[in-house]
Amino acid sequence: MNAAQDLRFAFRQLGKTPGLTLTVILTLALGIGATTAIFSLVEGVLLRPLPFRDPDRLVALGDHLGSGRNTPVTAREIGTYSNATSAFSSLGGYIGGSYELSGGPMPEEIFGARLTAGVFPTLGVTPILGRIFTPEEEGRHQPFASYLTARLTQSSG
């Protein structure tokens, strides 16, 4: 028997049992779909490099507490690390949160982050419009500076 005869025989047998055929096809489709989805996720999160300059040199700092909890480093600690060590060529910090964006017909909740002045230079990125803020502008009593993503500006009109 050759391959063509084997395929004809297999299709003939599948035609005799439509319930089994449907189950086989749905199982294959589900398996292929799940495998594709998982690979897309793994490739996007783990395999593709971060879209920053020297992504292999980026590290995240945190404090490890004895109970197994990790806490983020504060802005004051980032300043201390910057002044006390030469192990890092650049340091920046952020803390994420939700904010209310108003001024339009309806206020909306947006997700953002408070940044130190070192974030953009550390990541090696610059804003499309405007400039990065300076360390002098990040003080406690300074007016806030904002960076908006292209997605936010396009969705807000």
Side-chain angles (χ1 to χ4, degrees), residues 22 30 41 45 54 77 112 118 124 128 141 143 145 149:
L22 182 62
L30 184 63
L41 181 69
V45 174
D54 299 326
E77 291 171 322
I128 295 172
H141 301 290
T149 63

Side-chain angles (χ1 to χ4, degrees), residues 1 13 18 24 34-35 47 55 73 78 84 96-97 104 113 117-118 123 134 138-139 149:
M1 285 189 154
Q13 292 301 101
V24 167
T35 303
L47 302 178
V73 176
I78 291 171
L123 296 176
T134 63
E138 79 176 21
T149 63

Side-chain angles (χ1 to χ4, degrees), residues 117-135:
V119 168
F120 287 117
T122 300
L123 296 176
V125 297
T126 56
I128 295 172
L129 294 172
R131 61 176 178 80
I132 61 174
F133 59 91
T134 63

